[in-house]
Amino acid sequence: MWLSQGEKRGIQTRPEVSEMPLPQKKRWESMAKGLVLGALFTSFLLLLYSYAVPPLHTGLASTTPEGAAPCSPALSEPEALTPANGSAGGCQPRRDIVFMKTHKTASSTLLNILFRFGQKHGLKFAFPNGRNDFDYPAFFARSLVQDYRPGACFNIICNHMRFHYDEVRGLVPPNATFITVLRDPARLFESSFHYFGSVVPFTWKLSGRDKLAKFLQDPDRYYDPHGYNAHYLHNLLFFDLGYDSDLDPGSPQVQEHILEVERRFHLVLLQEYFDESLVLLKDLLCWELEDVLYFKLNARRASAVPRLSGELYRRATAWNVLDARLYRHFNASFWRKVEAFGRERMAREVAALRRANERMRRICIDGGHAVDAAAIQDSAMQPWQPLGTKSILGYNLKKSIGRRHAQLCRRMLTPEIQYLMDLGVNLWVTKLWKLIRDFLQW
Ligand SMILES: *[C@@H]1O[C@H](CO)[C@@H](O)[C@H](O)[C@H]1NC(C)=O
Ligand SMILES: *[C@@H]1O[C@H](CO)[C@@H](O)[C@H](O)[C@H]1NC(C)=O
Ligand SMILES: *[C@@H]1O[C@H](CO)[C@@H](O)[C@H](O)[C@H]1NC(C)=O
């Protein structure tokens, strides 16, 4: 309480503030809020850091022999999965998976799929400790995994991280499947700008209604590569994958990095072709159709999604040229994979997936569609919102669902943070942050 009263008092005793034209006052307020929150959050992170990290950090260097060695699976592994009957060839379902979760790419939807699969088969997740990412934007390190012990083996790693291959490699069996998801970089940039813009201080200089257009007119004028959170607004895919997102586009390293991604990842999904991607994934992992059913999670309200026009689209692509080359490469290899899979077979399987999703929608979702945050009755179904807006949609679970589907429905609709808690992840930093935001009503 004291904070908001203090804020109010501060405004009353400063006539020059209350005399400001309204929009300007609002901006002043939101900037002050931003500074207070930023300071608080940073202190909490430092606190977390000093608590959670010290003893293990010495083992961070991945050049140590122990770093290169694969984990050694425990003897009491969960029993082998029953062979999938639905999949062709009677293959063995794969359950060791590294999902490099990129930002703003429908990756929350994929996360839900992995949570469900892991939960269903009692698999061991490598989860972060205290928050829902691995200290992003710092590089991933094994020591950040909850309950990590040298030699420990995990089945699934899927939370946000800045990728560090050697560190991840050592946590999973040698035959683990590596996947990630990309998205058209211009669209991704637009989404990231709206979602993260308010936590990137160099965008505060931008005024007027269309900040995005203004930024793209002359990005170099505003962009500061060393600015706080700058990575969100320049080649974010490259950054998340662990590379230098400010690399000179003419450098031969760009192509080397792209080829490295190709060597390391067994499948690169595309957000634009999400259903086709899931069909390829299901085939690669030898999973069943039910395993890849989904509802779109963490999506924005349509009115909050301005589409980039031709000229701005071109500029956004040019600004994120490293990501554009990455995307072009994997768009091409994606369609080669579809070709190898069989175009007709793909069309059939995509149709089957959509029918099954549609059926689940009718069974699970009250009203049959996503709704605004304010219309979500059960707090366990409230999605996490970006700072300053409530533009992320969520769902209401139907009141009466048959026993056969009740569990699947609930799991499919549970937002990421709540699902992590259900899976036993300690999220004290995230919860504290939510408390502060609720308190400031932001
Ligand atoms: C798989 O199919 C075989 C016969 O084709 C059947 O006997 C078996 O019970 C099925 N397994 C599962 C898990 O459905
Ligand atoms: C992966 O390797 C483990 C042993 O490390 C083995 O039990 C499992 O069957 C293998 N999985 C596949 C799909 O090859
Ligand atoms: C991806 O590749 C397909 C097939 O070649 C093409 O039609 C599509 O325009 C490409 N998408 C982008 C965004 O480049």
Side-chain angles (χ1 to χ4, degrees), residues 150-165:
C153 242
F154 297 86
N155 298 114
I156 300 181
I157 310 180
C158 56
N159 291 74
H160 275 308
M161 67 167 78
R162 187 166 187 210
F163 195 58
H164 186 330
Y165 182 73

Side-chain angles (χ1 to χ4, degrees), residues 276-293:
E276 288 81 356
S277 296
L278 288 180
V279 169
L280 289 180
L281 183 70
K282 168 175 157 300
D283 184 60
L284 176 70
L285 298 178
C286 186
W287 284 11
E288 314 214 23
L289 181 61
E290 184 188 294
D291 297 326
V292 296
L293 296 182

Side-chain angles (χ1 to χ4, degrees), residues 184-185 270 272-273 313 327-328 331-332 335 343:
D184 180 335
L270 300 179
E272 287 79 11
Y273 306 101
Y313 177 91
Y327 185 85
R328 205 182 325 136
N331 186 35
W335 290 106
R343 289 244 171 206

